[in-house]
Amino acid sequence: MLKKAREHFSSIDSTNTWAKRNATSLQRDAVTLVTADEQTAGRGRFSRKWISPPAQNIYASFCFFVEKRNLSQITSISQILAVAAAETLDACGFTVAFKWPNDLMLSGKKVAGILCETTSIEEALCVIAGIGINVNMQADVMQQIDRPVTSLYQESGIIQDRSKIELLLEKHFLLHLEQVLEFEQLRNIIEIYRQRILHRKGEQMRFHDGQVVQEGLFDSIAEDGSLNLRLASGDVKNFLAGELC
Ligand code: BTN
């Protein structure tokens, strides 16, 4: 079983940023879960802000170390966290689907996002897998976000128990992480990931790879969770990272 460690803050700039800053003092042989009630400088993908009001949502970063020569173990870490979060929300009565690579969608709107980062410490990499889940976020706060978002409260009309969700998330994530790190069971997790993907073969897509927008048709999710997109030329191109727009 993986060893666990815990850090909690009532307010912090960002749980991912805190973990990066403090990576050298984290326990090397444990998975540290860093959480906060509020983030004053929450970060999303592509340098976006992650709106993080106090005591409404989950802001969590799982931190652990892998040796640099075992990098392949963590290429799909965001998909592993996405699957763990989906199973957690299933247990709370919410069925989410994935917008590639790792947006969790509920009623067609984003309810959670994942930001995975690494920082190098000697011969090892500290992996920081951060997730924000909109749990009890109120409508007036969500109006500040320029994309369609929702929260569990918004969908159900019921205030949800954040600590229960956090505990379930930790349980599911550690279980899957252990399967991957110790038993090389990534295949099974990617299969679960595929079953929840929103996109259908042949669906028209616009894809931003960080530099240019490409258009194509959704083909499939590869064995490592990356995207296979059929371009106008007919060729299928594989993308490890990017965003659908
Ligand atoms: C995204 O969809 O753009 C990714 C959002 C990730 C947000 C989480 S909240 C906990 C952790 N700390 C951060 O600053 N960001 C991630």
PDB file of all heavy atoms in Angstrom, residues 13-17 34 39 41-46 48-50 52 58-61 102-103 110 112-115 117 129-133 243, ligand 1:
ATOM      1  N   ASP A  13      -1.780  30.401  -1.857  1.00  0.00           N
ATOM      2  CA  ASP A  13      -1.853  30.929  -3.236  1.00  0.00           C
ATOM      3  C   ASP A  13      -2.410  29.861  -4.183  1.00  0.00           C
ATOM      4  O   ASP A  13      -3.408  30.071  -4.869  1.00  0.00           O
ATOM      5  CB  ASP A  13      -0.491  31.486  -3.701  1.00  0.00           C
ATOM      6  CG  ASP A  13       0.679  30.543  -3.458  1.00  0.00           C
ATOM      7  OD1 ASP A  13       0.487  29.458  -2.886  1.00  0.00           O
ATOM      8  OD2 ASP A  13       1.803  30.896  -3.866  1.00  0.00           O
ATOM      9  N   SER A  14      -1.758  28.684  -4.171  1.00  0.00           N
ATOM     10  CA  SER A  14      -2.222  27.570  -5.023  1.00  0.00           C
ATOM     11  C   SER A  14      -1.610  26.294  -4.447  1.00  0.00           C
ATOM     12  O   SER A  14      -0.420  26.294  -4.097  1.00  0.00           O
ATOM     13  CB  SER A  14      -1.749  27.802  -6.464  1.00  0.00           C
ATOM     14  OG  SER A  14      -1.384  26.603  -7.098  1.00  0.00           O
ATOM     15  N   THR A  15      -2.384  25.239  -4.373  1.00  0.00           N
ATOM     16  CA  THR A  15      -1.832  23.996  -3.802  1.00  0.00           C
ATOM     17  C   THR A  15      -0.715  23.455  -4.706  1.00  0.00           C
ATOM     18  O   THR A  15       0.278  22.916  -4.217  1.00  0.00           O
ATOM     19  CB  THR A  15      -2.938  22.937  -3.607  1.00  0.00           C
ATOM     20  OG1 THR A  15      -3.638  22.759  -4.840  1.00  0.00           O
ATOM     21  CG2 THR A  15      -3.918  23.346  -2.515  1.00  0.00           C
ATOM     22  N   ASN A  16      -0.866  23.616  -6.032  1.00  0.00           N
ATOM     23  CA  ASN A  16       0.213  23.166  -6.936  1.00  0.00           C
ATOM     24  C   ASN A  16       1.472  24.000  -6.728  1.00  0.00           C
ATOM     25  O   ASN A  16       2.579  23.463  -6.661  1.00  0.00           O
ATOM     26  CB  ASN A  16      -0.225  23.313  -8.405  1.00  0.00           C
ATOM     27  CG  ASN A  16      -0.870  22.057  -8.952  1.00  0.00           C
ATOM     28  OD1 ASN A  16      -1.558  21.345  -8.231  1.00  0.00           O
ATOM     29  ND2 ASN A  16      -0.690  21.782 -10.231  1.00  0.00           N
ATOM     30  N   THR A  17       1.299  25.324  -6.629  1.00  0.00           N
ATOM     31  CA  THR A  17       2.468  26.194  -6.466  1.00  0.00           C
ATOM     32  C   THR A  17       3.146  25.913  -5.131  1.00  0.00           C
ATOM     33  O   THR A  17       4.375  25.865  -5.044  1.00  0.00           O
ATOM     34  CB  THR A  17       2.031  27.688  -6.548  1.00  0.00           C
ATOM     35  OG1 THR A  17       1.236  27.849  -7.715  1.00  0.00           O
ATOM     36  CG2 THR A  17       3.211  28.619  -6.605  1.00  0.00           C
ATOM     37  N   VAL A  34      -2.092  17.662  -0.731  1.00  0.00           N
ATOM     38  CA  VAL A  34      -2.115  19.061  -0.272  1.00  0.00           C
ATOM     39  C   VAL A  34      -3.479  19.644  -0.641  1.00  0.00           C
ATOM     40  O   VAL A  34      -3.871  19.609  -1.811  1.00  0.00           O
ATOM     41  CB  VAL A  34      -1.012  19.887  -0.983  1.00  0.00           C
ATOM     42  CG1 VAL A  34      -0.959  21.310  -0.435  1.00  0.00           C
ATOM     43  CG2 VAL A  34       0.347  19.208  -0.862  1.00  0.00           C
ATOM     44  N   GLN A  39      -7.926  29.280  -2.570  1.00  0.00           N
ATOM     45  CA  GLN A  39      -6.676  29.602  -3.263  1.00  0.00           C
ATOM     46  C   GLN A  39      -6.754  31.061  -3.713  1.00  0.00           C
ATOM     47  O   GLN A  39      -7.744  31.469  -4.332  1.00  0.00           O
ATOM     48  CB  GLN A  39      -6.484  28.720  -4.484  1.00  0.00           C
ATOM     49  CG  GLN A  39      -6.315  27.230  -4.164  1.00  0.00           C
ATOM     50  CD  GLN A  39      -5.989  26.421  -5.409  1.00  0.00           C
ATOM     51  OE1 GLN A  39      -4.992  25.717  -5.443  1.00  0.00           O
ATOM     52  NE2 GLN A  39      -6.823  26.514  -6.431  1.00  0.00           N
ATOM     53  N   ALA A  41      -4.403  32.408  -5.693  1.00  0.00           N
ATOM     54  CA  ALA A  41      -3.837  32.483  -7.051  1.00  0.00           C
ATOM     55  C   ALA A  41      -3.913  31.100  -7.692  1.00  0.00           C
ATOM     56  O   ALA A  41      -2.908  30.565  -8.162  1.00  0.00           O
ATOM     57  CB  ALA A  41      -2.398  32.998  -6.993  1.00  0.00           C
ATOM     58  N   GLY A  42      -5.133  30.548  -7.703  1.00  0.00           N
ATOM     59  CA  GLY A  42      -5.344  29.225  -8.295  1.00  0.00           C
ATOM     60  C   GLY A  42      -5.028  29.275  -9.784  1.00  0.00           C
ATOM     61  O   GLY A  42      -5.349  30.259 -10.458  1.00  0.00           O
ATOM     62  N   ARG A  43      -4.388  28.219 -10.270  1.00  0.00           N
ATOM     63  CA  ARG A  43      -3.964  28.206 -11.672  1.00  0.00           C
ATOM     64  C   ARG A  43      -4.651  27.089 -12.457  1.00  0.00           C
ATOM     65  O   ARG A  43      -4.792  25.988 -11.964  1.00  0.00           O
ATOM     66  CB  ARG A  43      -2.444  28.005 -11.757  1.00  0.00           C
ATOM     67  CG  ARG A  43      -1.658  29.162 -11.179  1.00  0.00           C
ATOM     68  CD  ARG A  43      -0.172  28.992 -11.402  1.00  0.00           C
ATOM     69  NE  ARG A  43       0.384  27.903 -10.615  1.00  0.00           N
ATOM     70  CZ  ARG A  43       0.904  26.791 -11.130  1.00  0.00           C
ATOM     71  NH1 ARG A  43       0.909  26.593 -12.438  1.00  0.00           N
ATOM     72  NH2 ARG A  43       1.428  25.875 -10.349  1.00  0.00           N
ATOM     73  N   GLY A  44      -5.044  27.419 -13.697  1.00  0.00           N
ATOM     74  CA  GLY A  44      -5.593  26.410 -14.599  1.00  0.00           C
ATOM     75  C   GLY A  44      -4.587  26.120 -15.696  1.00  0.00           C
ATOM     76  O   GLY A  44      -3.456  26.625 -15.681  1.00  0.00           O
ATOM     77  N   ARG A  45      -5.003  25.316 -16.684  1.00  0.00           N
ATOM     78  CA  ARG A  45      -4.114  25.016 -17.795  1.00  0.00           C
ATOM     79  C   ARG A  45      -3.951  26.259 -18.662  1.00  0.00           C
ATOM     80  O   ARG A  45      -4.769  27.162 -18.633  1.00  0.00           O
ATOM     81  CB  ARG A  45      -4.682  23.850 -18.618  1.00  0.00           C
ATOM     82  CG  ARG A  45      -4.801  22.592 -17.786  1.00  0.00           C
ATOM     83  CD  ARG A  45      -5.445  21.474 -18.579  1.00  0.00           C
ATOM     84  NE  ARG A  45      -4.549  20.976 -19.593  1.00  0.00           N
ATOM     85  CZ  ARG A  45      -4.888  20.773 -20.860  1.00  0.00           C
ATOM     86  NH1 ARG A  45      -6.102  21.022 -21.265  1.00  0.00           N
ATOM     87  NH2 ARG A  45      -4.005  20.318 -21.728  1.00  0.00           N
ATOM     88  N   PHE A  46      -2.870  26.290 -19.438  1.00  0.00           N
ATOM     89  CA  PHE A  46      -2.565  27.401 -20.343  1.00  0.00           C
ATOM     90  C   PHE A  46      -2.567  28.746 -19.609  1.00  0.00           C
ATOM     91  O   PHE A  46      -3.099  29.741 -20.107  1.00  0.00           O
ATOM     92  CB  PHE A  46      -3.552  27.430 -21.524  1.00  0.00           C
ATOM     93  CG  PHE A  46      -3.486  26.178 -22.344  1.00  0.00           C
ATOM     94  CD1 PHE A  46      -4.448  25.202 -22.225  1.00  0.00           C
ATOM     95  CD2 PHE A  46      -2.415  25.945 -23.202  1.00  0.00           C
ATOM     96  CE1 PHE A  46      -4.375  24.028 -22.956  1.00  0.00           C
ATOM     97  CE2 PHE A  46      -2.338  24.766 -23.932  1.00  0.00           C
ATOM     98  CZ  PHE A  46      -3.318  23.804 -23.815  1.00  0.00           C
ATOM     99  N   ARG A  48      -4.253  29.955 -17.329  1.00  0.00           N
ATOM    100  CA  ARG A  48      -5.517  30.597 -16.938  1.00  0.00           C
ATOM    101  C   ARG A  48      -5.616  30.631 -15.424  1.00  0.00           C
ATOM    102  O   ARG A  48      -4.931  29.899 -14.734  1.00  0.00           O
ATOM    103  CB  ARG A  48      -6.704  29.808 -17.473  1.00  0.00           C
ATOM    104  CG  ARG A  48      -6.793  29.825 -18.965  1.00  0.00           C
ATOM    105  CD  ARG A  48      -8.169  29.352 -19.412  1.00  0.00           C
ATOM    106  NE  ARG A  48      -8.147  29.130 -20.837  1.00  0.00           N
ATOM    107  CZ  ARG A  48      -8.050  27.921 -21.420  1.00  0.00           C
ATOM    108  NH1 ARG A  48      -8.002  26.834 -20.681  1.00  0.00           N
ATOM    109  NH2 ARG A  48      -8.003  27.811 -22.719  1.00  0.00           N
ATOM    110  N   LYS A  49      -6.510  31.516 -14.952  1.00  0.00           N
ATOM    111  CA  LYS A  49      -6.801  31.573 -13.507  1.00  0.00           C
ATOM    112  C   LYS A  49      -7.763  30.446 -13.173  1.00  0.00           C
ATOM    113  O   LYS A  49      -8.627  30.121 -13.998  1.00  0.00           O
ATOM    114  CB  LYS A  49      -7.573  32.859 -13.230  1.00  0.00           C
ATOM    115  CG  LYS A  49      -6.784  34.005 -12.735  1.00  0.00           C
ATOM    116  CD  LYS A  49      -7.828  35.066 -12.433  1.00  0.00           C
ATOM    117  CE  LYS A  49      -7.301  36.267 -11.767  1.00  0.00           C
ATOM    118  NZ  LYS A  49      -8.384  37.261 -11.609  1.00  0.00           N
ATOM    119  N   TRP A  50      -7.663  29.889 -11.966  1.00  0.00           N
ATOM    120  CA  TRP A  50      -8.695  28.944 -11.511  1.00  0.00           C
ATOM    121  C   TRP A  50      -9.382  29.617 -10.324  1.00  0.00           C
ATOM    122  O   TRP A  50      -8.794  29.783  -9.258  1.00  0.00           O
ATOM    123  CB  TRP A  50      -8.075  27.608 -11.102  1.00  0.00           C
ATOM    124  CG  TRP A  50      -9.109  26.561 -10.772  1.00  0.00           C
ATOM    125  CD1 TRP A  50      -9.490  26.171  -9.530  1.00  0.00           C
ATOM    126  CD2 TRP A  50      -9.881  25.781 -11.693  1.00  0.00           C
ATOM    127  NE1 TRP A  50     -10.459  25.200  -9.623  1.00  0.00           N
ATOM    128  CE2 TRP A  50     -10.717  24.935 -10.947  1.00  0.00           C
ATOM    129  CE3 TRP A  50      -9.960  25.725 -13.091  1.00  0.00           C
ATOM    130  CZ2 TRP A  50     -11.614  24.037 -11.537  1.00  0.00           C
ATOM    131  CZ3 TRP A  50     -10.842  24.833 -13.678  1.00  0.00           C
ATOM    132  CH2 TRP A  50     -11.652  24.007 -12.899  1.00  0.00           C
ATOM    133  N   SER A  52     -11.077  30.323  -7.155  1.00  0.00           N
ATOM    134  CA  SER A  52     -11.035  29.416  -5.996  1.00  0.00           C
ATOM    135  C   SER A  52     -11.576  30.075  -4.730  1.00  0.00           C
ATOM    136  O   SER A  52     -10.832  30.365  -3.783  1.00  0.00           O
ATOM    137  CB  SER A  52      -9.588  28.983  -5.751  1.00  0.00           C
ATOM    138  OG  SER A  52      -8.973  28.523  -6.923  1.00  0.00           O
ATOM    139  N   ILE A  58     -13.287  21.996  -3.917  1.00  0.00           N
ATOM    140  CA  ILE A  58     -12.094  21.210  -3.571  1.00  0.00           C
ATOM    141  C   ILE A  58     -10.922  21.719  -4.405  1.00  0.00           C
ATOM    142  O   ILE A  58     -11.044  21.860  -5.638  1.00  0.00           O
ATOM    143  CB  ILE A  58     -12.352  19.714  -3.827  1.00  0.00           C
ATOM    144  CG1 ILE A  58     -13.306  19.189  -2.757  1.00  0.00           C
ATOM    145  CG2 ILE A  58     -11.041  18.912  -3.822  1.00  0.00           C
ATOM    146  CD1 ILE A  58     -13.719  17.757  -2.906  1.00  0.00           C
ATOM    147  N   TYR A  59      -9.822  22.006  -3.716  1.00  0.00           N
ATOM    148  CA  TYR A  59      -8.560  22.361  -4.364  1.00  0.00           C
ATOM    149  C   TYR A  59      -7.541  21.399  -3.789  1.00  0.00           C
ATOM    150  O   TYR A  59      -7.241  21.457  -2.583  1.00  0.00           O
ATOM    151  CB  TYR A  59      -8.150  23.811  -4.045  1.00  0.00           C
ATOM    152  CG  TYR A  59      -9.331  24.777  -4.140  1.00  0.00           C
ATOM    153  CD1 TYR A  59      -9.810  25.446  -3.007  1.00  0.00           C
ATOM    154  CD2 TYR A  59      -9.974  24.986  -5.365  1.00  0.00           C
ATOM    155  CE1 TYR A  59     -10.907  26.295  -3.094  1.00  0.00           C
ATOM    156  CE2 TYR A  59     -11.078  25.835  -5.445  1.00  0.00           C
ATOM    157  CZ  TYR A  59     -11.539  26.482  -4.314  1.00  0.00           C
ATOM    158  OH  TYR A  59     -12.624  27.314  -4.395  1.00  0.00           O
ATOM    159  N   ALA A  60      -7.051  20.498  -4.608  1.00  0.00           N
ATOM    160  CA  ALA A  60      -6.214  19.419  -4.075  1.00  0.00           C
ATOM    161  C   ALA A  60      -5.071  19.102  -5.028  1.00  0.00           C
ATOM    162  O   ALA A  60      -5.255  19.108  -6.250  1.00  0.00           O
ATOM    163  CB  ALA A  60      -7.074  18.166  -3.879  1.00  0.00           C
ATOM    164  N   SER A  61      -3.896  18.830  -4.462  1.00  0.00           N
ATOM    165  CA  SER A  61      -2.752  18.402  -5.278  1.00  0.00           C
ATOM    166  C   SER A  61      -2.158  17.148  -4.658  1.00  0.00           C
ATOM    167  O   SER A  61      -1.819  17.137  -3.462  1.00  0.00           O
ATOM    168  CB  SER A  61      -1.673  19.485  -5.324  1.00  0.00           C
ATOM    169  OG  SER A  61      -2.193  20.679  -5.839  1.00  0.00           O
ATOM    170  N   ASN A 102      -8.659  16.233 -19.979  1.00  0.00           N
ATOM    171  CA  ASN A 102      -9.085  15.894 -18.622  1.00  0.00           C
ATOM    172  C   ASN A 102     -10.028  16.892 -17.969  1.00  0.00           C
ATOM    173  O   ASN A 102      -9.933  17.154 -16.776  1.00  0.00           O
ATOM    174  CB  ASN A 102      -7.871  15.635 -17.711  1.00  0.00           C
ATOM    175  CG  ASN A 102      -6.789  16.647 -17.956  1.00  0.00           C
ATOM    176  OD1 ASN A 102      -7.076  17.827 -18.042  1.00  0.00           O
ATOM    177  ND2 ASN A 102      -5.564  16.196 -18.096  1.00  0.00           N
ATOM    178  N   ASP A 103     -10.941  17.423 -18.761  1.00  0.00           N
ATOM    179  CA  ASP A 103     -12.009  18.230 -18.155  1.00  0.00           C
ATOM    180  C   ASP A 103     -13.127  17.273 -17.770  1.00  0.00           C
ATOM    181  O   ASP A 103     -13.522  16.421 -18.573  1.00  0.00           O
ATOM    182  CB  ASP A 103     -12.581  19.231 -19.163  1.00  0.00           C
ATOM    183  CG  ASP A 103     -11.640  20.405 -19.398  1.00  0.00           C
ATOM    184  OD1 ASP A 103     -10.620  20.502 -18.700  1.00  0.00           O
ATOM    185  OD2 ASP A 103     -11.941  21.205 -20.301  1.00  0.00           O
ATOM    186  N   LYS A 110     -18.331  22.364 -17.471  1.00  0.00           N
ATOM    187  CA  LYS A 110     -17.146  21.870 -16.758  1.00  0.00           C
ATOM    188  C   LYS A 110     -17.384  21.920 -15.252  1.00  0.00           C
ATOM    189  O   LYS A 110     -17.755  22.956 -14.703  1.00  0.00           O
ATOM    190  CB  LYS A 110     -15.951  22.744 -17.143  1.00  0.00           C
ATOM    191  CG  LYS A 110     -14.646  22.328 -16.511  1.00  0.00           C
ATOM    192  CD  LYS A 110     -13.496  22.932 -17.302  1.00  0.00           C
ATOM    193  CE  LYS A 110     -12.176  22.793 -16.576  1.00  0.00           C
ATOM    194  NZ  LYS A 110     -11.036  23.154 -17.416  1.00  0.00           N
ATOM    195  N   ALA A 112     -14.968  20.109 -13.162  1.00  0.00           N
ATOM    196  CA  ALA A 112     -13.656  19.909 -12.544  1.00  0.00           C
ATOM    197  C   ALA A 112     -12.571  19.967 -13.608  1.00  0.00           C
ATOM    198  O   ALA A 112     -12.824  19.650 -14.778  1.00  0.00           O
ATOM    199  CB  ALA A 112     -13.608  18.553 -11.824  1.00  0.00           C
ATOM    200  N   GLY A 113     -11.382  20.391 -13.182  1.00  0.00           N
ATOM    201  CA  GLY A 113     -10.246  20.468 -14.102  1.00  0.00           C
ATOM    202  C   GLY A 113      -8.983  19.972 -13.418  1.00  0.00           C
ATOM    203  O   GLY A 113      -8.898  19.977 -12.185  1.00  0.00           O
ATOM    204  N   ILE A 114      -8.038  19.564 -14.242  1.00  0.00           N
ATOM    205  CA  ILE A 114      -6.816  18.927 -13.721  1.00  0.00           C
ATOM    206  C   ILE A 114      -5.586  19.621 -14.301  1.00  0.00           C
ATOM    207  O   ILE A 114      -5.544  19.915 -15.503  1.00  0.00           O
ATOM    208  CB  ILE A 114      -6.838  17.421 -14.095  1.00  0.00           C
ATOM    209  CG1 ILE A 114      -7.939  16.728 -13.291  1.00  0.00           C
ATOM    210  CG2 ILE A 114      -5.477  16.763 -13.865  1.00  0.00           C
ATOM    211  CD1 ILE A 114      -8.193  15.289 -13.645  1.00  0.00           C
ATOM    212  N   LEU A 115      -4.623  19.878 -13.444  1.00  0.00           N
ATOM    213  CA  LEU A 115      -3.363  20.495 -13.875  1.00  0.00           C
ATOM    214  C   LEU A 115      -2.212  19.673 -13.305  1.00  0.00           C
ATOM    215  O   LEU A 115      -1.992  19.663 -12.094  1.00  0.00           O
ATOM    216  CB  LEU A 115      -3.285  21.944 -13.354  1.00  0.00           C
ATOM    217  CG  LEU A 115      -1.998  22.703 -13.658  1.00  0.00           C
ATOM    218  CD1 LEU A 115      -1.849  22.953 -15.163  1.00  0.00           C
ATOM    219  CD2 LEU A 115      -1.976  24.052 -12.918  1.00  0.00           C
ATOM    220  N   GLU A 117       1.831  18.842 -13.114  1.00  0.00           N
ATOM    221  CA  GLU A 117       3.124  19.487 -13.316  1.00  0.00           C
ATOM    222  C   GLU A 117       4.196  18.615 -12.681  1.00  0.00           C
ATOM    223  O   GLU A 117       3.891  17.744 -11.858  1.00  0.00           O
ATOM    224  CB  GLU A 117       3.124  20.864 -12.648  1.00  0.00           C
ATOM    225  CG  GLU A 117       2.006  21.747 -13.152  1.00  0.00           C
ATOM    226  CD  GLU A 117       1.956  23.106 -12.470  1.00  0.00           C
ATOM    227  OE1 GLU A 117       1.581  23.173 -11.281  1.00  0.00           O
ATOM    228  OE2 GLU A 117       2.292  24.080 -13.125  1.00  0.00           O
ATOM    229  N   ALA A 129      -0.066  16.448  -9.152  1.00  0.00           N
ATOM    230  CA  ALA A 129      -1.306  16.271  -9.919  1.00  0.00           C
ATOM    231  C   ALA A 129      -2.409  17.031  -9.185  1.00  0.00           C
ATOM    232  O   ALA A 129      -2.903  16.599  -8.142  1.00  0.00           O
ATOM    233  CB  ALA A 129      -1.652  14.787 -10.037  1.00  0.00           C
ATOM    234  N   GLY A 130      -2.763  18.185  -9.732  1.00  0.00           N
ATOM    235  CA  GLY A 130      -3.718  19.072  -9.054  1.00  0.00           C
ATOM    236  C   GLY A 130      -5.105  18.970  -9.668  1.00  0.00           C
ATOM    237  O   GLY A 130      -5.254  18.832 -10.885  1.00  0.00           O
ATOM    238  N   ILE A 131      -6.096  19.033  -8.807  1.00  0.00           N
ATOM    239  CA  ILE A 131      -7.480  18.995  -9.302  1.00  0.00           C
ATOM    240  C   ILE A 131      -8.342  20.017  -8.555  1.00  0.00           C
ATOM    241  O   ILE A 131      -8.202  20.189  -7.338  1.00  0.00           O
ATOM    242  CB  ILE A 131      -8.089  17.571  -9.177  1.00  0.00           C
ATOM    243  CG1 ILE A 131      -9.528  17.538  -9.726  1.00  0.00           C
ATOM    244  CG2 ILE A 131      -8.044  17.021  -7.758  1.00  0.00           C
ATOM    245  CD1 ILE A 131     -10.069  16.148  -9.980  1.00  0.00           C
ATOM    246  N   GLY A 132      -9.178  20.673  -9.296  1.00  0.00           N
ATOM    247  CA  GLY A 132     -10.179  21.561  -8.692  1.00  0.00           C
ATOM    248  C   GLY A 132     -11.548  21.004  -9.036  1.00  0.00           C
ATOM    249  O   GLY A 132     -11.821  20.715 -10.212  1.00  0.00           O
ATOM    250  N   ILE A 133     -12.388  20.808  -8.026  1.00  0.00           N
ATOM    251  CA  ILE A 133     -13.760  20.323  -8.272  1.00  0.00           C
ATOM    252  C   ILE A 133     -14.722  21.391  -7.756  1.00  0.00           C
ATOM    253  O   ILE A 133     -14.628  21.814  -6.592  1.00  0.00           O
ATOM    254  CB  ILE A 133     -14.034  18.978  -7.547  1.00  0.00           C
ATOM    255  CG1 ILE A 133     -12.972  17.927  -7.911  1.00  0.00           C
ATOM    256  CG2 ILE A 133     -15.441  18.461  -7.897  1.00  0.00           C
ATOM    257  CD1 ILE A 133     -13.166  16.570  -7.198  1.00  0.00           C
ATOM    258  N   GLU A 243      -5.642  21.185 -26.257  1.00  0.00           N
ATOM    259  CA  GLU A 243      -6.981  21.481 -25.765  1.00  0.00           C
ATOM    260  C   GLU A 243      -7.957  21.530 -26.926  1.00  0.00           C
ATOM    261  O   GLU A 243      -7.630  22.053 -27.999  1.00  0.00           O
ATOM    262  CB  GLU A 243      -6.957  22.846 -25.073  1.00  0.00           C
ATOM    263  CG  GLU A 243      -8.269  23.181 -24.434  1.00  0.00           C
ATOM    264  CD  GLU A 243      -8.151  24.439 -23.604  1.00  0.00           C
ATOM    265  OE1 GLU A 243      -7.750  25.477 -24.155  1.00  0.00           O
ATOM    266  OE2 GLU A 243      -8.473  24.382 -22.414  1.00  0.00           O
TER     267      GLU A 243
HETATM  268  C1  BTN B   1      -7.867  23.431 -15.728  1.00  0.00           C
HETATM  269  O1  BTN B   1      -8.870  22.808 -16.069  1.00  0.00           O
HETATM  270  O2  BTN B   1      -7.502  24.450 -16.323  1.00  0.00           O
HETATM  271  C2  BTN B   1      -7.048  22.911 -14.575  1.00  0.00           C
HETATM  272  C3  BTN B   1      -7.525  23.429 -13.244  1.00  0.00           C
HETATM  273  C4  BTN B   1      -6.744  22.900 -12.078  1.00  0.00           C
HETATM  274  C5  BTN B   1      -7.127  23.559 -10.773  1.00  0.00           C
HETATM  275  C6  BTN B   1      -6.474  22.913  -9.583  1.00  0.00           C
HETATM  276  S1  BTN B   1      -7.114  23.498  -8.054  1.00  0.00           S
HETATM  277  C7  BTN B   1      -5.830  22.684  -7.196  1.00  0.00           C
HETATM  278  C8  BTN B   1      -4.568  22.897  -8.010  1.00  0.00           C
HETATM  279  N1  BTN B   1      -3.976  24.160  -7.671  1.00  0.00           N
HETATM  280  C9  BTN B   1      -4.008  25.019  -8.698  1.00  0.00           C
HETATM  281  O3  BTN B   1      -3.583  26.190  -8.668  1.00  0.00           O
HETATM  282  N2  BTN B   1      -4.567  24.455  -9.756  1.00  0.00           N
HETATM  283  C10 BTN B   1      -4.969  23.096  -9.479  1.00  0.00           C
END
